[in-house]
Amino acid sequence: PVRPAAPAQPPSGRKVARLITSDAADSTLNLAEDGNLPELKLHESLTKDASQQKKTSSNPLVLMAVLSASILACILMLFWDGSGGGHDDRKQAVEQIIRDKFFNTPGGELEPYQQWLREAQLAAERGNTAQEQQLYRRVLDRLHAERDRFDRTGLTGSIESDDELEELVLKMLKK
């Protein structure tokens, strides 16, 4: 064991604080033959656990592929319209049903509600949604007024046809 050197004495005349220690404690570590401290050695059971942990960790390429797919999916969701144009297709289908069932009259002369339906579709083609909705509401008001009458023939000639027209007009107003 190495003992610390005795502290140097300060020059006389000056008082200086000094540390007084007892004997140095003996170290429990013995130096190796080459003068270095001994090395730490692991048990074999610990190294097996480490190899098992390596097997359970993910491959970096797999992680990159999953991350790339996730980012791509997010970008697609930002720019993709989920309706797939179905809204416009449904609107056109409803307009076609209205044309087929309610534009034609046997006498050739159009009823006011038929004129409003045609004008509403023309307004839609021009992009004037305010006028289109106003005309569809006018048809709805007329349907409700005719429903309250006593003759029960309805606006279109039958209650069933009135109900169908009301349903179609409501779909057009929802868009």
Side-chain angles (χ1 to χ4, degrees):
V2 178
R3 297 205 176 238
Q9 295 291 331
S12 60
R14 288 178 53 192
K15 291 187 177 183
V16 177
R18 73 186 135 114
L19 178 65
I20 300 173
T21 61
S22 62
D23 292 335
D26 291 333
S27 173
T28 58
L29 293 177
N30 296 326
L31 296 178
E33 294 174 2
D34 59 357
N36 292 329
L37 291 174
E39 294 181 12
L40 179 64
K41 294 181 182 179
L42 299 176
H43 296 287
E44 286 187 32
S45 63
L46 295 176
T47 57
K48 288 180 183 176
D49 290 340
S51 66
Q52 288 175 351
Q53 286 178 350
K54 286 183 182 178
K55 290 180 183 176
T56 59
S57 66
S58 298
N59 186 355
L61 293 176
V62 173
L63 289 174
M64 291 300 294
V66 169
L67 181 64
S68 299
S70 174
I71 291 172
L72 181 63
C74 289
I75 291 171
L76 285 175
M77 285 189 283
L78 283 174
F79 295 108
W80 180 58
D81 181 17
S83 65
H87 178 68
D88 289 337
D89 294 342
R90 286 189 302 261
K91 180 184 174 201
Q92 288 176 354
V94 171
E95 286 176 345
Q96 186 62 43
I97 293 170
I98 290 174
R99 264 188 242 110
D100 293 343
K101 292 191 176 185
F102 300 104
F103 279 15
N104 301 327
T105 56
E109 193 167 319
L110 296 177
E111 295 288 327
Y113 81 91
Q114 291 172 318
Q115 290 175 349
W116 297 332
L117 289 172
R118 285 186 179 195
E119 289 174 18
Q121 287 189 0
L122 289 173
E125 289 174 10
R126 290 190 305 264
N128 190 348
T129 56
Q131 183 183 13
E132 175 191 10
Q133 290 186 352
Q134 178 187 13
L135 290 164
Y136 282 131
R137 285 192 190 99
R138 190 181 294 174
V139 171
L140 273 180
D141 291 342
R142 187 67 174 265
L143 277 168
H144 295 153
E146 288 293 323
R147 187 172 289 152
D148 294 337
R149 292 181 54 183
F150 294 113
D151 60 1
R152 305 294 291 161
T153 58
L155 182 65
T156 61
S158 75
I159 299 299
E160 294 81 18
S161 182
D162 279 4
D163 290 342
E164 182 181 8
L165 179 59
E166 180 179 12
E167 183 181 325
L168 293 170
V169 169
L170 286 173
K171 284 182 182 178
M172 292 303 293
L173 287 172
K174 282 183 183 177
K175 51 171 193 164

